[in-house]
Amino acid sequence: MPTISGVTQQIFGRKPGRGLLLTGLAIILAFVILAVFAPWIAPYGPTERSVPSSLAASPQPPDRNHIMGTTELGYDVFSRIVWGTRIVLYVVAFSAILSMAIGVPLGLVSGFYGGKLDRILSMVMDSIYAFPGIVLALAVASVLGPSPTNAAISLSVVYVPTFFRMVRGQVLEVRESLYVEAAEALGYPNTHIMLYHVLPNVAPTILVVFGLAATDAILTEAGLAFFGLTVSYPSPDWGLDLRVGLRYLDQGAWWATLFPGIVITLLALGFALVGEGLGERYAIRTER
Amino acid sequence: MESVVRLEDVSVHYYTFTGVVKAVDRVTLDIPRGEFVSFVGESGSGKSTLALALLRLVPPPGRIVSGRIVFNGMDLLSLPEQKMRELRGKSISMVFQDPMTSLDPVRKVGEQIADVYIEHGVTTDMEEALKLAREALEMVGIPGDRVNYYPHQLSGGQRQRVLIAAAVALKPSLLIADEPTTALDVIVQAKIMDLLEDLMKELKMSVILITHDIALAAERSDRIAVMYAGRVVEYGPVDAIIENPLHPYTRGLLESAPDLWGEKRIKGIPGNPPDLRNPPRGCPFHPRCPRRFDPCDKDEPEYVKVDDRIVSCHLYTR
Ligand SMILES: Nc1ncnc2c1ncn2[C@@H]1O[C@H](COP(=O)(O)OP(=O)(O)OP(=O)(O)O)[C@@H](O)[C@H]1O
Ligand SMILES: [Mg+2]
C-alpha cells in the first residue's frame, strides 16, 4: 500500500509535469486560503453596503477602498469574490468527490466482473456521457431546485461517467496482465487483486480525471450560477455576479464582470494544470 | 500406482465469434504422485489451456465443457469456487512463462511472496509472513535480504525463482510450470530446471512441465504426454517414448530435435497444425502423417494401451 511519504514523493518528486502540478496546486491553495480566511481577508461583508448611500445607486470604479470596484447596490466586488470562493469550492469539491465516490467503484466492479452488469452499466454511462455536460447539469439542477448542494449533485451526474469509463478501461487492461493471472493461480481472492493490483494501477488515472472533472465543474458551476441554480442573489457566487454585472456593463462598469470572470478562469486553470501535470507524469491519455 | 491427478475425458472449448475452438479434446490420463510429467506439443496444441483447466482458470470465452478432473480424490469440477480458490496456491500451484510480467512491478518481491501466507491464512501478521517469505526465497536459492527488492532489480532467472518461491511456499502436492524457461537463456534454463527437480524431491511434489521442447522434456521427465490439436496422442514413460515412439507425430517431434537422436538430420514435420475450429475428420494428424492409411481420414482413433503407454493412432487400433 502507498505510504504518506511515497505519496508526497509522487507529487513533488522531480519527475515530468512537476512544474505544471506545483503551479496548479499553488493556485488552488491560494483560493482555499481565501475561502477559509474570508472574514479576515475581505474588507467588507458580501452583502454589506460599503459606500455612502449617496453613491450607492450606481457602480463605482476601483479605488483605494475598493480595489475591484463596487456593484450598483454598493457591494464591494473584491469582498464578494472572496466570500464567493466558499460556494465555488464547496460545489466543485463536493461534485468531484461525489462523482469519484460513485464512478470509481462502479468502474472497478464493472471492469472486474464483466458480464451482464458490465454491459448494463456501460450502456447507462455511455448514454449519460453522450449528453453535453452543461445541458445535462442544467436539466438535473432545474429538477432538483436551486441550492449549492443540488448544484453539486447535478454536476456529479455529469462526471460519474467520466470516472467510470477511465477506471473501467484501466481495469480491463490490468486484468489482462500476467501478474493478475499469477495472483489468481495462487488462489488470491478478488479483493486482494482489486486492492493490490488494480487500485494502485488506476490511482494516477483517478487523480487525472479528478483534475479534469474539477476544471469542468468550475466552468459548469458558473453556468448554473449564471442561471440562478446555486444561490439566490444577493448571496455571493462568481457566476451569479457575472450575470448581475452584465446588466450594467453597458454603463461602462467593466469591473463587475471582469474580476469574477478572471477568478473563474484562474481557478479552472489551477485544476487544469494539476490534471495536465499528473497526466504528463503518468503518460495518461484522457478524453472528454 | 497412486495418482495425484486424473483426467477423464476432459474437453475445453473457446466460444469465439468465429467458431468453437476445441482447445482440449477428450483428454484422459493419470499423473502418478511424485512424478515429473511433461506435456509436449507445438504452439496452439492446447497445453496451456489444459494446465489452466487443472486450476479451473480457463479464461472466457473458454469453458471446461465435459469430463472429470480428480485431484487427491476430489472432483475439482464439482467443487464450489471458494473451495477451489483455497486449493490454488496451496495444493495446486502454477508458474507462468514470463517472469518479467508475472510479478507486480510496483510491489517488493518479499511482499508478493508474503501475500501467499496471508491470503491462505497461515498468519495474519505481515512481519511473520515476511519472515516466512525470506525463508522461501532462500529455499529457491536467493539471499533472504532480497525481500526488499523490486522485481526490476532482479534478473529474469531470479524473478522466475521468486515466482517459484511463491508457488511452492505452501508445499503444494502439484506444481504446474507452463514454459517456465522459454524467456530465459540456456544456462539459466538448466538451473531453473535443476531447482524444480530439487524442490520436487524436497517437498515430495508432483510436477507438470509444459514445453514445446521435447529434448528438455526427455532430459527431465519421468513421463511425457504428447499433445496435438487438443488431443493427447501419446502418453507414457519417457524412456519408452524416446526409444520407440509409437505415434508418427511423436516420431516427427523427435526427428526435429537434433540433440536427442544423435547425428540424424533435422527433419521437421511438413505442413501445419489444423484449425481447431474446424479440425479434419478422423485422426487430426492424418493430413500431415507419413503413415496414414485407410481409416485415418474417416474414423477417429480410440486410445489404445500398449504396454504402459497409451496412444491414439490407427496403426495400433487392431
Ligand atoms: N482466450 C482465448 N480465446 C480464444 N481462443 C483461445 C484462447 N486461448 C487459447 N485459444 C486457442 O486455443 C488453442 C490452444 O491454445 P493454448 O494456448 O492452450 O496452446 P499452447 O499449446 O499452450 O500453445 P503455446 O505453445 O503457443 O503456448 C489455440 O488454438 C488458441 O488459439
Ligand atoms: Mg501455452
Side-chain angles (χ1 to χ4, degrees):
Chain A
M1 282 274 87
T3 58
I4 299 290
S5 72
V7 170
T8 37
Q9 180 60 27
Q10 283 288 310
I11 296 175
F12 299 107
R14 286 199 177 278
K15 291 194 200 142
R18 183 169 180 257
L20 296 175
L21 196 55
L22 289 182
T23 314
L25 286 175
I27 294 175
I28 295 168
L29 185 67
F31 279 105
V32 170
I33 290 173
L34 283 190
V36 173
F37 298 103
W40 293 275
I41 294 170
Y44 305 97
T47 52
E48 183 181 340
R49 306 213 173 221
S50 62
V51 289
S53 44
S54 58
L55 289 173
S58 63
Q60 299 297 311
D63 61 27
R64 281 174 64 220
N65 292 329
H66 306 276
I67 53 171
M68 292 181 183
T70 62
T71 72
E72 62 179 339
L73 292 177
Y75 302 150
D76 178 47
V77 172
F78 174 66
S79 300
R80 287 184 63 80
I81 284 178
V82 172
W83 287 102
T85 311
R86 292 187 161 185
I87 303 283
V88 175
L89 285 182
Y90 168 75
V91 173
V92 167
F94 188 169
S95 65
I97 290 171
L98 183 63
S99 49
M100 179 171 73
I102 297 173
V104 169
L106 286 184
L108 281 177
V109 168
S110 197
F112 200 84
Y113 291 100
K116 213 179 234 148
L117 177 81
D118 179 44
R119 259 174 286 147
I120 294 172
L121 276 176
S122 298
M123 223 155 63
V124 172
M125 292 296 169
D126 281 350
S127 43
I128 299 177
Y129 191 80
F131 268 95
I134 178 80
V135 177
L136 186 60
L138 277 174
V140 179
S142 356
V143 171
L144 295 179
S147 89
T149 304
N150 286 346
I153 292 172
S154 16
L155 289 173
S156 311
V157 175
V158 179
Y159 306 120
V160 164
T162 317
F163 280 101
F164 174 86
R165 286 164 55 117
M166 289 292 288
V167 169
R168 177 177 172 274
Q170 281 271 307
V171 172
L172 290 181
E173 210 167 281
V174 174
R175 226 179 134 31
E176 287 295 300
S177 71
L178 273 173
Y179 54 83
V180 166
E181 194 176 348
E184 284 184 328
L186 287 171
Y188 296 172
N190 291 332
T191 45
H192 174 100
I193 295 171
M194 289 261 206
L195 211 60
Y196 289 94
H197 298 301
V198 177
L199 256 186
N201 276 288
V202 301
T205 309
I206 294 171
L207 286 178
V208 171
V209 177
F210 190 88
L212 287 179
T215 308
D216 204 77
I218 291 158
L219 301 174
T220 312
E221 191 273 348
L224 293 182
F226 191 93
F227 289 108
L229 289 168
T230 56
V231 293
S232 49
Y233 206 74
S235 293
D237 185 306
W238 301 349
L240 192 55
D241 279 8
L242 197 66
R243 184 174 82 168
V244 174
L246 274 180
R247 274 197 234 136
Y248 37 88
L249 184 60
D250 56 359
Q251 302 166 25
W254 48 268
W255 53 89
T257 45
L258 180 68
F259 292 115
I262 286 178
V263 287
I264 290 170
T265 314
L266 199 60
L267 184 55
L269 181 72
F271 280 104
L273 287 174
V274 170
E276 282 290 315
L278 287 168
E280 194 167 298
R281 166 159 306 184
Y282 295 106
I284 294 166
R285 279 164 289 112
T286 48
E287 28 167 347
R288 164 100 226 178
Chain B
M1 186 176 48
E2 196 207 347
S3 61
V4 62
V5 60
R6 173 171 171 71
L7 304 182
E8 291 171 13
D9 216 28
V10 173
S11 295
V12 184
H13 295 176
Y14 289 102
Y15 294 87
T16 69
F17 285 118
T18 49
V20 178
V21 179
K22 295 182 180 166
V24 172
D25 193 16
R26 288 162 294 151
V27 167
T28 296
L29 52 75
D30 249 304
I31 312 254
R33 186 177 300 284
E35 288 204 358
F36 194 122
V37 176
S38 291
F39 282 74
V40 187
E42 283 166 287
S43 189
S45 55
K47 308 181 295 292
S48 298
T49 304
L50 184 64
L52 290 171
L54 288 173
L55 285 166
R56 257 178 53 188
L57 279 180
V58 178
R63 208 147 52 78
I64 302 171
V65 291
S66 67
R68 263 159 55 91
I69 301 176
V70 183
F71 170 77
N72 284 348
M74 280 172 287
D75 180 2
L76 291 190
L77 301 187
S78 61
L79 285 184
E81 176 57 28
Q82 177 59 31
K83 196 87 190 60
M84 189 65 219
R85 184 181 304 142
E86 283 165 23
L87 290 182
R88 292 185 199 123
K90 189 172 181 188
S91 306
I92 314 178
S93 271
M94 180 151 173
V95 287
F96 294 91
Q97 173 172 355
D98 192 352
M100 298 304 175
T101 50
S102 292
L103 285 166
D104 188 337
V106 300
R107 297 184 64 221
K108 293 177 181 170
V109 296
E111 292 171 345
Q112 298 194 49
I113 299 174
D115 285 345
V116 183
Y117 300 106
I118 293 193
E119 295 298 346
H120 285 282
V122 174
T123 172
T124 50
D125 175 29
M126 193 62 184
E127 287 303 307
E128 171 75 15
L130 280 171
K131 227 178 78 204
L132 292 168
R134 198 176 274 265
E135 287 163 20
L137 269 188
E138 275 160 9
M139 187 164 74
V140 298
I142 295 184
D145 56 8
R146 303 270 162 97
V147 285
N148 289 320
Y149 280 38
Y150 285 93
H152 69 89
Q153 293 170 296
L154 299 174
S155 71
Q158 286 174 317
R159 286 189 225 187
Q160 194 57 286
R161 283 171 192 265
V162 168
L163 288 162
I164 293 171
V168 303
L170 302 178
K171 307 186 173 41
S173 44
L174 176 63
L175 176 67
I176 305 168
D178 188 354
E179 313 215 22
T181 56
T182 15
L184 308 172
D185 69 58
V186 201
I187 297 174
V188 179
Q189 173 172 335
K191 287 188 179 155
I192 295 282
M193 295 310 300
D194 289 344
L195 173 66
L196 287 182
E197 281 187 19
D198 292 346
L199 288 172
M200 184 176 115
K201 292 195 191 91
E202 208 176 310
L203 305 176
K204 300 184 176 58
M205 291 188 300
S206 314
V207 172
I208 292 179
L209 173 71
I210 286 172
T211 175
H212 52 253
D213 183 351
I214 195 168
L216 177 75
E219 187 188 339
R220 303 287 177 169
S221 325
D222 300 308
R223 256 162 224 280
I224 289 183
V226 179
M227 285 195 79
Y228 186 80
R231 297 280 284 162
V232 168
V233 295
E234 182 166 2
Y235 177 54
V238 65
D239 297 337
I241 287 189
I242 301 299
E243 270 155 39
N244 176 28
L246 294 177
H247 200 285
Y249 179 66
T250 314
R251 177 169 289 270
L253 275 185
L254 287 165
E255 281 172 350
S256 44
D259 358 333
L260 213 55
W261 271 19
E263 300 298 315
K264 283 195 189 120
R265 269 204 5 243
I266 309 174
K267 283 220 227 133
I269 309 165
N272 288 307
D275 178 358
L276 294 185
R277 272 176 294 255
N278 191 12
R281 227 173 90 103
C283 169
F285 186 58
H286 84 258
R288 301 169 78 186
C289 185
R291 300 191 59 188
R292 71 168 164 262
F293 60 114
D294 220 17
C296 296
D297 60 354
K298 291 180 199 74
D299 307 325
E300 197 170 358
E302 295 298 318
Y303 281 122
V304 184
K305 232 170 131 48
V306 179
D307 301 324
D308 47 2
R309 260 189 276 184
I310 55 168
V311 61
S312 157
C313 174
H314 281 301
L315 290 171
Y316 312 94
T317 46
R318 68 205 91 177

